[in-house]
Amino acid sequence: MLKVVGALFRHPSGRIGLLIISVFLIIAILGALGWSPHDALKQYMLFRLKPPSATYWMGTDLLGRDTMSRLMLGIGQSMVIAFVSVAWAAVAGTIIGLLAAWLGGLWDGVLMRLMDVLLAFPAILLALLIIAIAGPGTLTSVTAIGIVYTPIFARVVRGPALSLKQRDFVDAARTFGSSQRYILSRHLLLNLVAPLAVQVTLALAWALLTEAGLSFLGLGTQPPTPSLGLMLAESKNLMQQAPWLMIFPALTIMLGILGFNLTGDALRDILDPRSQARTS
């Protein structure tokens, strides 16, 4: 693990990506601990729509709330949803992909056709369908995003697992009487860490964007809890009067997605040198 982190710091894209993600995590922690310039939820109507200044570094919104303080909480909210939903998708997708590859036959057909059905829907539309059934909210957003990205992880795991289960070391483990659980966890899963790590990093970028889209539509995080997408939605009618309300959340979303994508690309180069050789 430490070798991978060290390699990421030596990789140009990985270094920038890790720096962005680290800054985001620090800001999220500071916001969660309440170490923000102002109370993110308290309204100061006398200071509404103030432009960026020494007191309010990123200005204030329509209700006089400090944009920077709300942005700090919004980063934390969006990051939590992205990490939890991707963790759920990674675990569920890995289990489904491993079982489909290992069991084969009817089980493989049923499980992967179910994944194909989910993949047939555009991600945002499937998330909207789930939220329309369960209702808006943070927990529903996590559930929707987790379900949307589960088939991707299942596909990422199934292909290499089909190849790995035909390898000699798996046959040797069967010969020595190893249990199926042991073979799946120690021989197959450990050899799938590299593609899973890359896919997790890239999925975090997609999840961050999906969460922002759902909140922008009013179906994700609900007021007064700040979220990056919700802050964009609240500023859409004030673009000319107070452009900073849209600029700062939009730049934050862009940087977050860029950080995860750069880290994912660097991980792919490090864990699969052949990809770097093909692009050089």
Side-chain angles (χ1 to χ4, degrees), residues 98 102 164 169-170 173 178-193:
L98 278 176
W102 184 257
L164 287 170
F169 59 84
V170 174
S178 299
S179 65
Q180 291 188 15
R181 180 181 299 179
Y182 181 87
I183 296 173
L184 286 172
S185 60
R186 297 299 299 272
H187 292 290
L188 266 66
L189 187 57
L190 286 181
N191 283 285
L192 294 170
V193 170

Side-chain angles (χ1 to χ4, degrees), residues 47-63:
F47 302 103
R48 58 197 300 266
L49 298 181
K50 291 290 184 180
S53 63
T55 304
Y56 300 105
W57 290 5
M58 295 183 180
T60 61
D61 65 5
L62 190 61
L63 299 177

Side-chain angles (χ1 to χ4, degrees), residues 108-265:
D108 185 20
V110 171
L111 290 173
M112 297 317 295
R113 295 303 75 75
L114 177 60
M115 296 298 101
D116 289 341
V117 170
L118 295 178
L119 282 173
F121 291 90
I124 190 68
L125 290 182
L126 181 57
L128 288 174
L129 175 62
I130 297 170
I131 291 176
I133 296 172
T138 300
L139 181 59
T140 311
S141 295
V142 171
T143 304
I145 296 172
I147 293 174
V148 164
Y149 293 116
T150 294
I152 299 175
F153 282 96
R155 281 290 178 189
V156 167
V157 168
R158 177 183 174 271
L162 283 173
S163 174
L164 287 170
K165 82 172 195 175
Q166 306 296 331
R167 302 286 293 274
D168 293 339
F169 59 84
V170 174
D171 292 335
R174 287 198 189 100
T175 303
F176 285 107
S178 299
S179 65
Q180 291 188 15
R181 180 181 299 179
Y182 181 87
I183 296 173
L184 286 172
S185 60
R186 297 299 299 272
H187 292 290
L188 266 66
L189 187 57
L190 286 181
N191 283 285
L192 294 170
V193 170
L196 277 174
V198 175
Q199 189 60 45
V200 164
T201 311
L202 298 176
L204 284 169
W206 304 336
L208 189 65
L209 182 60
T210 304
E211 188 280 330
L214 293 175
S215 296
F216 181 83
L217 296 173
L219 300 174
T221 303
Q222 298 298 298
T225 304
S227 169
L228 298 178
L230 187 59
M231 293 177 70
L232 281 177
E234 293 172 346
S235 66
K236 65 179 183 293
N237 295 324
L238 300 168
M239 291 179 59
Q240 294 184 346
Q241 187 177 359
W244 58 86
L245 294 178
M246 178 165 284
I247 290 174
F248 291 118
L251 286 176
T252 302
I253 295 172
M254 182 198 71
L255 285 174
I257 295 171
L258 178 64
F260 286 122
N261 279 333
L262 288 176
T263 305
D265 289 341

